[in-house]
Amino acid sequence: MNRRMVFLCLVVALTLSGCGQDGNVKVRPAKKGQITVGFSQIGESSLWRAANTKSIKHSLSIENVRLIFAVAGLSREKQIADIQGFIRDKVDVIAFSPVVENGYDDVLREARQAKIPVILTDRAIRTSEPGLYVSSIGSNFTAEGSSAAVWVKGEFRTTRKTVNIVELEGTAGSAPAVQRKAGFLEGLGGDPRFRIVASRNGNFSRPEGEAAMKAVLRSRRDIDVVFAQNDDMGIGALAAIEAAGKRPGKDIKVVTIDAIHDGLIALSKGRINYIVECNPLIGPQLMRLIKDVFLGLPVPMRVDTEEMVFFPDNVNDYIHEREY
Ligand code: GYE
């Protein structure tokens, strides 16, 4: 029996074993036919990332997948070495969230040579070689940036004067930083009233977001809007705005992306004005893809995650159920 057939038998056995009260399939420890997945996570630096990791680990564990989990600590080089380790371990499927967009072609060629399919999760890569990965799941970062800009334009639609915007950017060269920036510019639509007067790197982190915003406010005070490419940098910016004697959400409007619990709290208090969701809970969708890829079934090149937007009028309906 080849490994695909063993896996099919396992799926049938699991289906027959029935569901638990919570709806999860009860899985007996499998000795044979277990899929081994190598997963490389970007880092462990935020609540968003922790929720993403938890969702993936949970979804794979309830399906009895053997998971080799590595954390890249925001280093592309460490991530490439981890993926090479998965290839040496002859895993069945590799999945990873690329730290940055470029520089993965060689290691993906090594995976292809070893006939190990690769799935990208959350972030994407840039490559001129089609077929280096089989599928990619994640958010539409361009649409998220554009949604943020459309809110800003709506908020200032009656204002005649120039609207000065500070942009706090995520990790340089990462897909969400590059695409959210492009989407934001696209959403502003070249309207000359809206001017991005400063773009600073805050590496998707709270302290770096705060430091970046402090530096901007030291050089100029006529800021109307902060567009932070994630909640953490936006929350950092709130502290910097207050330290400069201004009221976040009022004197300076704040727009962010992610919708983690802390972000929603700030929104409910009027300190943040608008948040575009970026959903980290992609474990179930990833698990479905892993199974299909393992069984050699056709899979879509791209799977988008479902997302919504939050503002003061709807935030209280969702804030209590937010786990991250
Ligand atoms: O927005 C940010 C995290 O890759 C979409 O990474 C993800 C981003 C997310 O650090 O908070």
Side-chain angles (χ1 to χ4, degrees):
M1 220 180 332
N2 67 24
R3 59 183 191 164
R4 285 200 177 132
M5 287 176 69
V6 173
F7 177 69
L8 274 174
C9 293
L10 180 71
V11 170
V12 173
L14 291 178
T15 311
L16 293 176
S17 76
C19 290
Q21 280 180 335
D22 57 359
N24 291 335
V25 176
K26 281 190 190 147
V27 183
R28 275 183 245 109
K31 294 191 181 96
K32 283 190 196 163
Q34 209 174 15
I35 310 177
T36 299
V37 172
F39 185 90
S40 164
Q41 180 59 286
I42 290 173
E44 290 174 319
S45 51
S46 67
L47 294 172
W48 191 100
R49 196 55 57 192
N52 180 248
T53 294
K54 193 172 160 200
S55 168
I56 291 167
K57 284 188 173 170
H58 177 70
S59 298
L60 271 58
S61 80
I62 60 173
E63 295 278 357
N64 197 29
V65 166
R66 180 172 159 255
L67 173 64
I68 306 177
F69 189 83
V71 180
L74 287 188
S75 153
R76 176 183 58 193
E77 283 57 47
K78 159 97 170 53
Q79 186 160 54
I80 289 173
D82 288 340
I83 295 170
Q84 285 167 331
F86 300 153
I87 298 171
R88 276 195 303 278
D89 286 342
K90 298 188 171 46
V91 301
D92 298 306
V93 178
I94 291 172
F96 75 108
S97 181
V99 177
V100 289
E101 287 187 306
N102 291 305
Y104 292 94
D105 284 18
D106 286 347
V107 74
L108 292 180
R109 278 189 209 107
E110 289 171 39
R112 188 172 58 189
Q113 191 101 33
K115 297 196 170 34
I116 302 175
V118 175
I119 299 170
L120 305 181
T121 72
D122 157 35
R123 299 185 182 182
I125 59 163
R126 255 175 222 276
T127 174
S128 54
E129 208 173 317
L132 284 183
Y133 59 90
V134 291
S135 187
S136 112
I137 316 179
S139 310
N140 185 333
F141 300 137
T142 312
E144 290 169 351
S146 171
S147 170
V150 169
W151 183 87
V152 172
K153 284 185 80 175
E155 181 68 13
F156 290 91
R157 63 191 170 281
T158 54
T159 310
R160 296 228 166 153
K161 68 173 191 71
T162 307
V163 177
N164 291 337
I165 303 170
V166 173
E167 181 181 32
L168 297 177
E169 299 182 25
T171 306
S174 68
V178 172
Q179 293 167 22
R180 286 172 184 166
K181 184 182 187 68
F184 190 74
L185 280 176
E186 203 179 289
L188 291 181
D191 186 329
R193 274 187 317 130
F194 296 91
R195 219 184 279 155
I196 299 180
V197 294
S199 284
R200 295 275 177 142
N201 188 285
N203 208 17
F204 285 129
S205 106
R206 250 177 238 203
E208 288 175 71
E210 180 176 349
M213 190 62 201
K214 276 198 171 137
V216 173
L217 287 167
R218 268 197 297 273
S219 63
R220 61 186 301 163
R221 293 181 57 81
D222 57 344
I223 305 300
D224 302 297
V225 176
V226 173
F227 164 50
Q229 291 180 355
N230 80 345
D231 287 344
D232 281 312
M233 293 187 295
I235 291 165
L238 300 180
I241 293 169
E242 274 165 347
K246 299 208 174 216
R247 293 168 306 165
K250 295 195 174 62
D251 303 326
I252 299 181
K253 304 286 180 194
V254 181
V255 185
T256 67
I257 298 174
D258 272 358
I260 59 172
H261 191 252
D262 287 355
L264 295 184
I265 288 184
L267 181 65
S268 73
K269 292 184 177 158
R271 287 153 60 75
I272 290 181
N273 304 88
Y274 181 69
I275 303 183
V276 186
E277 182 178 38
C278 178
N279 183 3
L281 308 181
I282 58 180
Q285 283 173 295
L286 175 62
M287 187 58 230
R288 248 172 273 143
L289 268 184
I290 289 172
K291 271 194 214 165
D292 289 351
V293 163
F294 184 78
L295 294 171
L297 300 174
V299 290
M301 267 307 280
R302 175 71 190 168
V303 178
D304 276 344
T305 32
E306 276 183 21
E307 281 154 353
M308 57 183 292
V309 295
F310 295 96
F311 36 89
D313 284 350
N314 74 350
V315 66
N316 289 321
D317 297 339
Y318 296 94
I319 199 162
H320 302 294
E321 67 196 36
R322 211 58 164 183
E323 286 169 22
Y324 52 92

